[in-house]
Amino acid sequence: MAESFGNSFTVVQVTGDDTKTQIWLAVAKPSQALTLVLAAVPEGWTAQVLNVALTPKQQRTFEELHLAPGDVYRLDKA
């Protein structure tokens, strides 16, 4: 039986070949978030889960993206 992705957000930091970092959201458990994000970025990039607690405002903002379990989303720099 397949494991559920869950419905919580995991924050992932990705580092590209140029050493610049990006922040991604994955609607998945941390153990699955890395795989999902790495599948969305170029081969050879690295990723790590960031252990951050989302504020209620951030949680609501991310919920407005209407992401489904298993989706990933890159946050643009402001």
Side-chain angles (χ1 to χ4, degrees):
M1 182 177 211
E3 185 178 355
S4 169
F5 287 114
N7 60 0
S8 61
F9 292 101
T10 299
V11 181
V12 178
Q13 178 178 302
V14 176
T15 304
D17 292 336
D18 59 2
T19 68
K20 292 186 180 177
T21 60
Q22 300 174 354
I23 302 298
W24 288 67
L25 291 177
V27 185
K29 298 172 186 174
S31 61
Q32 299 164 317
L34 287 177
T35 301
L36 292 168
V37 172
L38 284 171
V41 299
E43 186 176 335
W45 288 25
T46 60
Q48 66 180 9
V49 171
L50 296 181
N51 188 17
V52 295
L54 301 178
T55 66
K57 182 178 179 181
Q58 288 171 322
Q59 182 74 26
R60 284 190 303 275
T61 298
F62 297 154
E63 287 171 357
E64 291 172 2
L65 296 172
H66 302 291
L67 300 174
D71 285 350
V72 296
Y73 180 82
R74 190 184 98 191
L75 297 175
D76 291 325
K77 290 186 178 183

